[in-house]
Amino acid sequence: MSPKKKSNSGSILNGVKWTSIQFVLETAFRFSIRLILAKLLFPEQFGLIGMAAVFISIANAASDLGMGAALIQKKEDDDAIKMYDTAFWSGLGWGVSVFLFMSLVIGPIAANFYEEPLLLKLIPVLSLGILIKPFSLIHTVILTRAMNFKSIAKIYNSTFLIAGIIAIFAAFLDFGVWALVINSVLGGVLSVPIFFYVTKWKPKRKWNKNYFKEIFGFGAYSTGTLVFSNITYNIDNLIIGKMLGATLLGSYTLAFSFTENLRQMISGILNKVMYPVFGKNQDDKEKLKGYFLKIIYFNALIIYPLMAFLLIFAEDIILGFFGDKWQATIIPLQILSIAIMVHSVVNSFTSLIRGLGKPKLEMKIIIGLTVFVLIPSLALGIYYYGLKGAALAILVNKIVLASIGLTVLKREIALQPKKVFEAIKSALIGVFFGGTIVWGLGFIEILDKFYVLSPIYITLYLAIVYSLEKHQVKELINKIR
């Protein structure tokens, strides 16, 4: 193997290692904090944040005009570096504009739409994250292009932990919904000075119109895709909040956090590492196929057992840890767990499309799914079946997404669906047999306890997967070491 290939492989493995560390710690922080906050607060308060998040998430997706993705996608470092100052000032100006729009226009509209006056105050404060984001845009790009994921992991983990601890204290002091606001916003604010310190990069007072056009040319489609992706991820909150109210929306957002948000965090590990790799290898289809199949393989090994765990033990988790006030979360959680397993068949394929320099195609897929599948399914599902219908609509959307994704992969990089299913085969076998055995043991009264069956399930899954993938597991451990 050439030194260049070794270096690239080593960078990828190191990136996986540190983004994995970030993921494990961040997930532990987020879920532990969310568990504590859910015990201290009520579904209605989570529902209010869910209502605001519909608009905040969409605005946040548009807050950097896709410039971060455009700069990361550049093949050569010099081509990206010369555009940093233009991207910074453009992002800052746009961020201020979006913040003012959210505070002065969207806040009143949302409060009137949901008939929740508190949103007039919540949305401007939650929008502070949009105002702050441009200050760390270039610093994140610099660290990502350098594959310095160790620094990114340390920054996010420390700030998330501090924000979470302060939010818990706020909840104890009866701050109510504002404890959730602190948890959402404070981490981003704290990270900015640390990014400046780590990268040592400071913006110069210069702006180039041609550079802006070049960045925006790519970023426009990338931003459009992110906006419609966020509409897709949040349209359910919009409709549920309007039709069913804040309390049921709060129950739904907890189920969504355990499933879709967890999937996004897990896939984000490899996406952050592989997106720049996709961009630098966009002309080599065979390499792209290999990289993509590795992503699917590792995602499946992690996501499938987690989702099956939630499917099997949903009632124990919700009632045992969160209490009866969250009972409406149980069935949506089980349905969404299945939906995420379907999605995992093509997990990260949109990141690959973006890395190929085809954000327009990605945007078309997202728009089509949102308009022709998701919205009609949600409207009908909620109308006839309430919260369960919303979860079923997400499942339908994921099935269609997986079908389209497999078709696009075959066309763009000649990746056959058979190869994709081979990549997830071991995870599927482990989940099926582990889940089936635990389900059968559940009929034995003395064993039908969460603390007995859950470790049995985990042990069975790990044993089955290890027996099927012994060589791969040993090779990965040796490389990471």
Side-chain angles (χ1 to χ4, degrees):
M1 184 184 289
S2 69
K4 186 176 180 181
K5 285 184 179 179
K6 285 184 179 179
S7 176
N8 193 43
S9 176
S11 296
I12 293 171
L13 284 171
N14 190 55
V16 171
K17 176 182 176 180
W18 280 105
T19 46
S20 297
I21 290 171
Q22 180 193 341
F23 159 73
V24 171
L25 293 177
E26 182 183 332
T27 301
F29 296 156
R30 283 181 179 271
F31 277 88
S32 298
I33 290 164
R34 197 168 183 84
L35 184 149
I36 295 169
L37 290 174
K39 279 183 169 292
L40 296 171
L41 303 174
F42 293 88
E44 182 181 3
Q45 293 163 331
F46 278 80
L48 286 168
I49 295 298
M51 289 174 173
V54 173
F55 304 98
I56 298 296
S57 178
I58 294 169
N60 192 54
S63 63
D64 71 350
L65 297 174
M67 289 183 290
L71 292 171
I72 292 171
Q73 194 263 349
K74 293 289 181 184
K75 282 187 177 181
E76 302 297 330
D77 288 336
D78 289 342
D79 291 337
I81 291 170
K82 67 184 181 182
M83 299 180 177
Y84 285 168
D85 296 299
T86 299
F88 177 85
W89 294 113
S90 300
L92 183 58
W94 180 246
V96 171
S97 301
V98 173
F99 171 76
L100 293 173
F101 181 74
M102 293 296 295
S103 301
L104 302 176
V105 179
I106 297 299
I109 290 175
N112 183 64
F113 178 78
Y114 288 117
E115 299 179 358
E116 290 285 356
L118 189 56
L119 291 174
L120 283 168
K121 297 178 180 179
L122 288 174
I123 287 179
V125 180
L126 287 167
S127 298
L128 286 173
I130 296 168
L131 187 61
I132 293 297
K133 185 178 179 181
F135 287 97
S136 59
L137 168 66
I138 303 303
H139 308 81
T140 306
V141 170
I142 291 170
L143 294 173
T144 301
R145 287 190 63 85
M147 290 195 168
N148 186 0
F149 298 100
K150 180 178 180 179
S151 294
I152 295 175
K154 288 180 177 179
I155 292 169
Y156 282 129
N157 288 334
S158 60
T159 54
F160 280 135
L161 179 59
I162 293 169
I165 291 171
I166 294 173
I168 291 170
F169 275 111
F172 270 116
L173 296 173
D174 293 326
F175 275 60
V177 70
W178 294 104
L180 295 171
V181 173
I182 291 170
N183 192 42
S184 298
V185 175
L186 187 58
V189 175
L190 295 174
S191 69
V192 171
I194 305 176
F195 271 115
F196 269 88
Y197 176 78
V198 170
T199 63
K200 310 299 182 185
W201 183 87
K202 294 180 181 179
K204 298 180 179 67
R205 294 183 181 179
K206 58 182 182 180
W207 187 87
N208 186 295
K209 183 179 179 180
N210 292 328
Y211 290 164
F212 174 76
K213 286 182 177 179
E214 184 177 341
I215 299 170
F216 187 72
F218 178 94
Y221 286 118
S222 181
T223 299
T225 299
L226 286 172
V227 167
F228 278 100
S229 293
N230 276 273
I231 291 174
T232 299
Y233 292 136
N234 289 282
I235 195 69
D236 48 352
N237 287 350
L238 182 75
I239 298 174
I240 293 169
K242 180 63 177 175
M243 296 178 69
L244 302 178
T247 299
L248 286 178
L249 175 58
S251 297
Y252 178 81
T253 58
L254 185 61
F256 200 83
S257 296
F258 271 114
T259 53
E260 179 63 26
N261 289 352
L262 185 59
R263 181 200 68 79
Q264 289 179 42
M265 283 190 285
I266 293 172
S267 61
I269 295 175
L270 291 173
N271 282 354
K272 287 177 184 178
V273 177
M274 297 306 297
Y275 179 49
V277 175
F278 286 152
K280 291 176 182 178
N281 293 279
Q282 55 190 269
D283 298 323
D284 192 331
K285 304 296 185 186
E286 289 304 313
K287 275 189 178 180
L288 288 178
K289 281 195 284 188
Y291 288 143
F292 184 79
L293 287 173
K294 283 293 183 185
I295 289 178
I296 293 294
Y297 172 77
F298 287 117
N299 270 289
L301 287 179
I302 300 169
I303 291 175
Y304 275 45
L306 287 175
M307 292 303 112
F309 187 89
L310 293 173
L311 178 64
I312 297 166
F313 301 111
E315 187 172 348
D316 297 287
I317 293 168
I318 297 303
L319 298 183
F321 290 109
F322 294 96
D324 293 341
K325 61 187 176 183
W326 293 96
Q327 187 166 8
T329 301
I330 296 171
I331 295 178
L333 176 59
Q334 292 174 315
I335 297 171
L336 291 175
S337 298
I338 299 171
I340 297 308
M341 286 192 273
V342 173
H343 189 160
S344 296
V345 174
V346 290
N347 218 6
S348 305
F349 94 96
T350 53
S351 181
L352 183 143
I353 293 172
R354 213 177 309 139
L356 286 170
K358 295 186 176 182
K360 187 175 180 179
L361 173 60
E362 183 189 6
M363 186 170 69
K364 286 181 178 179
I365 293 171
I366 298 299
I367 292 173
L369 279 171
T370 303
V371 174
F372 298 109
V373 180
L374 184 59
I375 293 176
S377 298
L378 280 168
L380 290 172
I382 293 171
Y383 182 79
Y384 286 106
Y385 303 106
L387 209 54
K388 298 173 188 175
L392 288 169
I394 298 297
L395 175 59
V396 170
N397 187 65
K398 297 296 188 186
I399 292 171
V400 177
L401 172 65
S403 301
I404 293 173
L406 290 172
T407 302
V408 170
L409 288 169
K410 183 178 180 180
R411 188 185 72 186
E412 295 295 327
I413 61 172
L415 181 59
Q416 298 296 325
K418 179 182 177 182
K419 293 291 183 181
V420 174
F421 286 104
E422 285 177 359
I424 65 173
K425 180 176 65 176
S426 295
L428 279 173
I429 292 172
V431 163
F432 176 77
F433 283 103
T436 301
I437 292 169
V438 166
W439 176 77
L441 292 175
F443 288 100
I444 303 173
E445 187 174 349
I446 194 172
L447 296 177
D448 189 19
K449 296 176 178 62
F450 175 74
Y451 62 82
V452 174
L453 292 179
S454 57
I456 292 176
Y457 166 77
I458 294 169
T459 302
L460 285 170
Y461 174 78
L462 292 175
I464 293 168
V465 168
Y466 182 76
S467 66
L468 294 171
E469 300 290 337
K470 187 181 299 183
H471 177 72
Q472 288 272 23
V473 172
K474 286 182 177 179
E475 184 180 351
L476 177 64
I477 291 172
N478 289 332
K479 283 184 177 180
I480 291 176
R481 284 176 178 173

